[in-house]
Amino acid sequence: MFLFLLLGVVSCRRAPSRPNILFLSIDTLRADRIGYTGYGRPTTPNLDRFAREAYRFTDVLAQAPSTWSSHRSLFTSLYPSVHKQGQSRQSSSIPYSMASILRDNGYHTAGFVDGGYLRAAFGFGHGFDLYDDDSKRDRPRVGIGRLGLAGINPKVRAWFEAKPKQPFFLFVHTYDVHCPYTPPEPYFGKFSGWYKGVLQVQGECGASFNGTRLSDEDYRYLSDLYDGGIAYMDNQLEALFRIFRDAGLFDDMMVIVTSDHGESLGERGYVGHNRQYDEELQIPLVWRVPGHAGGVVREPSQSIDILPTMCSILGIDPRIEMQGKDLLSCMQGEASFEGTRMRMSEGTFGHALRFDDRFKIVLRKSGSYELFDLRRDPGELATVNDDGVAKEMLGKYRAWYKQNRPLYDRFKKTVKTEVDEETKEQLEELGYAGDE
Ligand SMILES: [Zn+2]
């Protein structure tokens, strides 16, 4: 009788809600080029309209200025030096990911990605019931080897029309905004029609412009083409949302839109990513939670916070150690970690350290550093000479590292990732000659 009553109590408990989830990663999307963060140009009318009913984060740091590392952090809530992915194509095998955690908790998991470093060969298929990484292409190669949302959306529609099990976790990734900044017309000329120079972008990618003498006009042209790519992506984003709107499902879905890093477009005479300045590190995050009104979230955040926050919203205990923070209470305006936690981006050429929304250190592997006061100088145009501030930040970083050392040792074993010729070719087209 007692057992019966106990079972009755357990089965009557309201199960945590499990909404369908759409997670969209728009590769290379800078936070300051979209409407909801205050950009003056109409680059993202559809994302902005959607963002009005979502949480809109204003200060989100990518964990790395590169695709492989940053996405791995997103999916594991671990810093790049812990998961070790993206370093000379070495990787640690980590037995979980966002997808596997959700699958273990009843989700059907599907991923449709734009190839490159998101291919299953780099470990991203882990935890997915279905992972379409565009590696089995039968279409002719035209220009850069990527599909973009225009090619991915029909695959998502076909998958959805085949009635996948619910709840589902759908991950979509696109290179629409990534170099070579050549969206189709009318987006190519949308902001760049004024240019009369000779710079050719066809077949060129990000960093390949470095080393060439470019005028201010040329940089402005690249930057305007990049904006055109965002407007093109935004148009396709609406088409992706429509797949679920048409079925009456969209309003009840959890939808997350973010990126893996930004892009330098002439700042400090550089084009591309892989460095630690904010135009490459600040990313958008728009998060619609069904039943929540949403609003602006100014809490200093980072991409490793997404997984613990998602688990918190869904009532999932993933039983893993995560380096990110659960931001749910911050989203609801009840708490703040400001000033009490470290945020860090890690890359091949060094780290960026933040402890609040003001000071930032770019720390190189040699030990030399640059200190910036982002409140006075958001463009990081002049370094600040304040040994006191720098010493305090580096001291806090060393203490944090010491405390986290066991985690850094946990996933020590690395394996070299071998890639086939076709993947190598696509990576080259995306501007990745050797390492990320
Ligand atoms: Zn990327």
Side-chain angles (χ1 to χ4, degrees):
M1 182 64 178
F2 174 71
L3 185 67
F4 174 76
L5 283 173
L6 191 68
L7 284 173
V9 170
V10 171
S11 63
C12 285
R13 265 182 55 192
R14 218 172 138 253
S17 122
R18 293 280 190 268
N20 291 316
I21 301 170
L22 168 62
F23 191 124
L24 174 60
S25 170
I26 303 159
D27 210 288
T28 323
L29 181 57
R30 288 169 63 140
D32 63 353
R33 295 301 179 96
I34 54 182
Y36 91 83
T37 61
Y39 195 40
R41 271 182 174 167
T43 47
T44 53
N46 293 304
L47 178 61
D48 297 337
R49 197 175 320 113
F50 164 71
R52 285 202 283 270
E53 58 193 62
Y55 293 108
R56 306 176 290 281
F57 290 72
T58 60
D59 179 6
V60 187
L61 185 78
Q63 250 55 68
S66 55
T67 307
W68 192 11
S69 259
S70 185
H71 277 98
R72 181 57 71 194
S73 287
L74 245 170
F75 280 159
T76 58
S77 190
L78 296 171
Y79 278 110
S81 336
V82 175
H83 63 60
K84 299 175 185 64
Q85 241 136 359
Q87 302 173 341
S88 312
R89 295 198 182 147
Q90 298 284 323
S91 62
S92 311
S93 46
I94 296 171
Y96 57 82
S97 70
M98 182 183 286
S100 73
I101 290 165
L102 291 171
R103 187 164 73 178
D104 290 348
N105 283 276
Y107 275 87
H108 166 68
T109 54
F112 293 87
V113 302
D114 219 349
Y117 276 110
L118 264 295
R119 286 197 168 171
F122 296 102
F124 284 111
H126 181 79
F128 283 99
D129 295 312
L130 166 72
Y131 196 72
D132 182 329
D133 65 359
D134 194 35
S135 57
K136 290 187 180 60
R137 67 181 76 193
D138 48 10
R139 64 204 154 76
R141 178 179 289 276
V142 182
I144 190 158
R146 63 179 182 190
L147 284 173
L149 286 178
I152 291 171
N153 287 346
K155 296 205 255 185
V156 172
R157 186 177 279 280
W159 162 81
F160 181 64
E161 284 174 353
K163 301 198 185 318
K165 265 192 269 166
Q166 295 190 32
F168 58 74
F169 167 66
L170 171 64
F171 173 63
V172 177
H173 160 263
T174 173
Y175 283 121
D176 275 323
V177 175
H178 196 286
C179 64
Y181 325 125
T182 50
E185 290 292 6
Y187 301 97
F188 188 89
K190 188 175 170 72
F191 304 112
S192 69
W194 57 270
Y195 182 70
K196 300 279 181 284
V198 294
L199 194 65
Q200 293 291 325
V201 288
Q202 294 289 349
E204 297 295 333
C205 217
S208 59
F209 292 107
N210 299 319
T212 330
R213 187 179 286 274
L214 297 184
S215 65
D216 288 350
E217 218 171 55
D218 294 335
Y219 283 129
R220 228 173 53 239
Y221 175 55
L222 289 176
S223 175
D224 287 352
L225 288 173
Y226 173 83
D227 282 354
I230 298 174
Y232 173 57
M233 176 282 300
D234 183 73
N235 184 268
Q236 294 298 321
L237 167 137
E238 183 55 26
L240 173 64
F241 288 177
R242 210 175 307 126
I243 295 171
F244 306 100
R245 280 194 220 283
D246 288 352
L249 223 64
F250 189 72
D251 290 345
D252 292 327
M253 286 168 68
M254 179 188 282
V255 180
I256 301 165
V257 181
T258 189
S259 182
D260 57 342
H261 53 77
E263 185 85 327
S264 282
L265 294 159
E267 290 86 354
R268 284 163 282 272
Y270 186 77
V271 181
H273 42 274
N274 269 326
R275 305 195 316 168
Q276 297 289 1
Y277 299 104
D278 268 21
E279 62 271 12
E280 295 184 33
L281 298 183
Q282 288 287 321
I283 51 172
L285 175 58
V286 181
W287 194 327
R288 203 265 304 276
V289 181
H292 291 222
V296 175
V297 184
R298 297 189 199 286
E299 178 72 18
S301 313
Q302 48 189 351
S303 33
I304 53 174
D305 298 337
I306 293 176
L307 180 58
T309 305
M310 180 190 277
C311 288
S312 173
I313 294 169
L314 298 174
I316 288 173
D317 176 5
R319 296 193 193 93
I320 54 167
E321 196 160 346
M322 297 187 277
Q323 291 186 294
K325 297 277 186 199
D326 170 8
L327 297 176
L328 181 56
S329 54
C330 304
M331 289 156 82
Q332 294 172 320
E334 291 160 4
S336 172
F337 298 107
E338 195 168 353
T340 62
R341 64 180 300 212
M342 190 184 70
R343 290 188 297 157
M344 175 168 59
S345 168
E346 297 180 313
T348 320
F349 304 111
H351 300 344
L353 305 177
R354 304 276 301 270
F355 285 91
D356 52 30
D357 61 357
R358 183 169 181 189
F359 289 106
K360 168 180 169 180
I361 278 186
V362 176
L363 178 64
R364 310 209 186 290
K365 292 217 162 131
S366 62
S368 68
Y369 63 83
E370 294 172 289
L371 175 67
F372 296 102
D373 183 343
L374 296 180
R375 217 174 281 165
R376 285 192 190 157
D377 174 26
E380 297 160 279
L381 300 174
T383 54
V384 176
N385 284 318
D386 189 328
D387 288 347
V389 171
K391 219 175 146 187
E392 191 193 331
M393 287 177 75
L394 292 170
K396 278 186 183 174
Y397 166 64
R398 276 192 288 271
W400 178 91
Y401 182 78
K402 217 171 158 184
Q403 209 180 0
N404 283 266
R405 188 61 211 252
L407 204 53
Y408 277 69
D409 292 337
R410 187 176 302 169
F411 303 109
K412 233 174 184 172
K413 204 174 164 198
T414 56
V415 285
K416 184 90 177 163
T417 300
E418 298 298 338
V419 292
D420 57 30
E421 281 308 310
E422 201 267 339
T423 303
K424 247 184 232 167
E425 208 177 303
Q426 196 203 15
L427 290 173
E428 274 161 26
E429 284 176 349
L430 287 164
Y432 302 113
D435 292 348
E436 275 195 292

